[in-house]
Amino acid sequence: MSSNQDNKGKGGGGPRRRGFFIGAILWALILVIFFNFLANQIANAGTQEVPYSEFIEMVEQDKVATAELTANQITFYLKEDLPAGVEGSTAEPSQDLAQVLTQQMEQGGATRYVTAPVAIGEGDTDLIPLLKEHNVTYFSPMQEESSYLVTLLLSYVVPMILMVALLVFLMRRLGGMGGLGGVGKANAKVYMEKSTGVTFADVAGQDEAKESLVEIIDFLHNPGKYTEIGAKLPKGALLVGPPGTGKTLLAKAVAGEANVPFFSISGSDFVEMFVGVGASRVRDLFKEANKVAPCIVFIDEIDTIGKSRDNRMGGNDEREQTLNQLLAEMDGFDPTKGVILLAATNRPEVLDQALLRPGRFDRRITIDRPNLAGRLATLQVHTRRIRLAEDVDLKKVALATAGCVGADLANLVNEAALRAVRLGRRAVKQEDLLAAFELVIAGTEKKGSVLTEFEKKLVAYHEVGHAMVAYKQKNTEPVQKITIVPHTQGSLGYTLLMPEEDKTELRTKDELMARITVSMGGRAAEEVVLHTMTNGASQDIQDATAVARNMVAMFGMSEEFGMMALASRRSQYLDGGYGMDCAQDTAARMDQAVKALLDTCYQQAVGIIRDNREDMDKVVAYLLEKETITGAEMVAIIEGRDPATADSPYLTEGPSQTPPAPPSENQPPLPPAGEAAAPQPPVPPAGGGEAPQPPAGPEPFAGPDQQRKDEA
């Protein structure tokens, strides 16, 4: 359970709350006095003050029309301001009629005169007879006994209560109880002791990262062992990796294993519209952390405040001040106290170099996509509370999900459980897991979609074209499934390829060329067999072009440019795109080299389709009849065997429950005639590093070992 106020040392108790309310009351009192003064000034805007002697002269000269008499003031109006047709009266009028007359004169814009008389009834006993003699309408307002209290209540007490309530509401919306609105207080969630509820047992597939963090946990448990020899614990560790790999989960697990308080805050929580607020929150965060040390402070998405400083940032920029304060705090706190700073980001390339230097974030821990063993362990973690049927084989699911991160696997398991409930089962079966994976890569089937016979034939040849090129080439993954059933993510069918074993991200030139050729198989089949072209090959063309461009610009696989790097990688853990680092004329020549690669692969795909036309016709006829077939059935048809006896090593028996999606390393699911199959972006060269991903768009895969869940 997280709390900001119920933990010792957090500083959010009585004193801060009392100070907050006292400040709100003082502000409310100041505002009420100001508004009452302003209202009084407005009310007296048309008033003219005259001496008492001048008032007496005006009465004697028959200029005064009405007079309101009170103990300390006489308010009167002149006859020249009387409304038309109204005359003064010598008779004593009723108080109501006198007040009505006065109101009419006020509404007519008459000037109001006031004077301070000599005490009536004591010093000037001739005033009333004088007023009667000169026909002045006079009266005294009736005063209720409680009028003063009511006036005080309505003028000060009630407005103050409303003002305090408004200030409390606004201050809380602005950020807490500290200061005016608490805008300078850090809004970190605090998990005391084991209340994070997460340990290393809940994190699977990141063994290397866990090993790197074990030392931090040991230091928090046994600091003397390290200080004895003079060693200092690293002040900070930066967790980097693609989204969904479990960076935040791993940070919570470290706190759970160490049994220490865990402060969790996002980088965006430091950023406000007021300059200096972020820096104040950084100071407050480290101040509160020092009170409960040893502890762990975790800043998620640190790139929000840690971006590199440059000349475009002004000296008073809020982000720069926040970053400067963070740098100062990391230099200032004593590492022997056990305050450990963990941060997570998937954009390490944009972080300021001062933040990454030794003495601040000393360690950089990569949280990468899990391998086969890691995916299997992750599936086991996520299925601990799921009731599984006896036919479930998590290893097959792990093999099929190459390139998936922990969040993908958690979503897959949940979708499988939901499907089992929809079908009225009491346990999740293997076909539920495989169907959930198909749902992720291609969406649900469009049961109401109707294709004409020609469209079905065209889609069938397109998909079998991908599968035939993949089957007849070396350096490709086996065909797992071919379907011409439309799906909701825009595809009219797809071809699914899946590796026989988990592979590294290393790819040879032959493998990349084979990937491009497989992507070209759909368009080649359209042209060779049906003598036409469709827009179904659009995604294939984009993916094939991305692979070829990477080969020329990044991997040094072009004869013309050789080992020359023409581009540099950007956003390694996000879209994997790259920026050009060459002149415009060089980029134009690079485009020609890319086209030459694509033309070579396309001609090779056309040759394979022509040489195997007879086998293709057989497979297409069977596919049109069944609509969904396995790779084993396609191989049986080509080899002259009965496809009904073919047994897929991955698919279980049952409806068109597809097996796992194509691993990122293998040829991803090739889109249909509406979204033809596309080659997976190339994997990085032996030098390491992820290959830049193709441009935005629905693509079946995303880089080596990186399965995407867009369209198949």
Side-chain angles (χ1 to χ4, degrees), residues 203-208 210 368-381 394-404 409 501-503 665 705:
V203 183
Q206 301 295 343
D207 295 338
E208 297 81 3
K210 287 193 285 188
D368 213 344
R369 298 174 184 273
N371 56 17
L372 176 61
R375 294 194 298 275
L376 177 58
T378 303
L379 286 169
Q380 290 171 342
V381 167
L394 294 179
K395 187 172 182 180
K396 290 182 179 179
V397 179
L399 182 62
T401 52
C404 289
L409 298 175
E501 59 184 10
D502 205 33
K503 299 179 65 175
E665 317 128 315
D705 251 349

Side-chain angles (χ1 to χ4, degrees), residues 461 464-465 468-469 471-473 517 521 524-525 527-529 602-618 638:
Y461 271 105
V464 173
M468 187 61 68
V469 173
Y471 176 72
K472 291 295 182 178
Q473 281 194 116
T517 306
E527 289 204 47
V528 171
V529 179
Y602 181 70
Q603 293 304 321
Q604 186 176 354
V606 169
I608 294 175
I609 297 298
R610 284 176 176 164
D611 294 341
N612 298 275
R613 172 65 187 277
E614 186 178 344
D615 290 336
M616 276 193 66
D617 292 339
K618 296 177 183 178
I638 294 174

